Amino acid sequence: MGYLSLFSKWKQKKQEKEVERVLEESIAKRKDYWNTIGHVDGDVLTHLLNPMFFGGPAWPSGRQTFIRVQKTETVILASDGLSDPFQFPEEKSRTQGKGLEFYIECDDEFLRGPLSDIQDHWAFDLLYQMSQNAAAHPNMLKLFMKHDILSIEFTDLEVPSHFVNENGEIGVLLGVQSPSVSASLSLPYESIKLISMKLLTPNELEYVREQGAQGCRQLAETFQLSKSYHITMTKRESLI
């Protein structure tokens, strides 16, 4: 075996150890942060079989997990893995994966039940679909760096009926600032964005469709002024 081959193997092993170290530290830092917000379960929500092996989008390190954070009046579900370091660091060196994580905060008491039941809840389904979209997107972080507030639409999700329009479409506002959850989190390689998700009523969805980026910002400001912020209340009046 030549010198170059030995050097390449040594370099590869060094990179693998670095990724493993950063991965473990990233997981710990995210959990430590969420523990300052509420009670984090010891276990995470994940799949018995990883969807990426069946054609699903690949997450940076291969981990596709979610965590639950229980607060006094609400429960947060958050993605936990979109900001892992990439499994192959030579491709995208020293970045925290997609550079973001998503979360949804809701007042539904069902979310306090057994962790094994949470994956059947609409809030988890919404978070899961959003996370898979982000994993598949070439660089969703750039969109948030440019606009801060974005909207996205889904269909065929069983959210509370008053959040669904007559065509079965569901709107979500992304990035409404929380008074309790930071907009960013420092991880080993870089800071990442923590992005909230808030269900929109059909009238609010129509408003952001018509007004575009400006409508998203104005609606986010309206939620701030109403003090409903980023939280998805299972029952609420439309603000448009």
Side-chain angles (χ1 to χ4, degrees):
M1 185 179 292
Y3 171 78
L4 287 177
S5 296
L6 285 171
F7 178 76
S8 295
K9 285 199 169 186
W10 173 82
K11 186 178 179 182
Q12 182 181 354
K13 277 197 169 294
K14 186 178 180 182
Q15 286 178 329
E16 288 172 355
K17 285 184 178 180
E18 169 75 357
V19 170
E20 186 178 348
R21 178 190 69 79
V22 174
L23 174 60
E24 291 176 357
E25 192 174 337
S26 299
I27 294 169
K29 279 183 174 291
R30 287 193 301 260
K31 185 174 182 179
D32 287 346
Y33 173 74
W34 285 119
N35 265 317
T36 69
I37 304 299
H39 172 74
V40 178
D41 291 281
D43 295 323
V44 296
L45 291 156
T46 189
H47 311 277
L48 290 175
L49 297 172
N50 196 317
M52 63 182 282
F53 298 127
F54 302 93
W59 288 37
S61 72
R63 292 175 64 255
Q64 297 192 17
T65 58
F66 303 84
I67 61 176
R68 177 173 64 177
V69 186
Q70 297 192 58
K71 299 173 65 177
T72 304
E73 297 180 352
T74 55
V75 175
I76 292 173
L77 300 179
S79 63
D80 188 62
L82 290 171
S83 63
D84 282 349
F86 283 99
Q87 196 168 13
F88 304 104
E90 65 275 9
E91 294 177 8
K92 299 179 181 179
S93 181
R94 299 186 70 81
T95 61
Q96 292 290 158
K98 294 291 183 175
L100 44 72
E101 299 285 355
F102 292 91
Y103 69 94
I104 183 167
E105 184 167 351
C106 185
D107 65 340
D108 191 342
E109 285 297 309
F110 180 87
L111 291 173
R112 299 189 189 277
L115 196 61
S116 57
D117 294 342
I118 301 303
Q119 284 173 290
D120 295 326
H121 194 275
W122 58 263
F124 177 81
D125 198 11
L126 197 63
L127 174 65
Y128 177 80
Q129 296 299 333
M130 185 66 240
S131 301
Q132 294 293 68
N133 267 272
H137 195 281
N139 197 340
M140 189 170 283
L141 181 62
K142 275 189 178 179
L143 294 176
F144 283 101
M145 297 296 284
K146 182 178 181 180
H147 296 290
D148 286 329
I149 307 292
L150 294 171
S151 65
I152 190 169
E153 296 178 28
F154 297 94
T155 56
D156 301 322
L157 294 181
E158 296 184 1
V159 303
S161 60
H162 55 284
F163 291 115
V164 185
N165 71 12
E166 59 184 8
N167 297 318
E169 297 157 332
I170 300 154
V172 178
L173 200 61
L174 304 170
V176 180
Q177 186 53 53
S178 163
S180 58
V181 178
S182 172
S184 63
L185 176 64
S186 180
L187 293 184
Y189 283 153
E190 59 185 346
S191 289
I192 65 163
K193 281 186 171 291
L194 298 177
I195 299 171
S196 67
M197 302 174 60
K198 185 180 179 83
L199 271 178
L200 300 178
T201 65
N203 284 348
E204 292 162 354
L205 171 58
E206 191 60 31
Y207 178 76
V208 298
R209 281 176 171 176
E210 292 174 355
Q211 301 297 320
Q214 182 180 357
C216 287
R217 289 192 298 271
Q218 290 177 338
L219 190 55
E221 290 173 6
T222 301
F223 289 137
Q224 297 280 3
L225 291 171
S226 72
K227 299 192 182 301
S228 64
Y229 302 107
H230 63 294
I231 299 172
T232 289
M233 309 299 285
T234 49
K235 295 179 181 179
R236 72 172 177 86
E237 297 295 323
S238 180
L239 295 188
I240 298 294

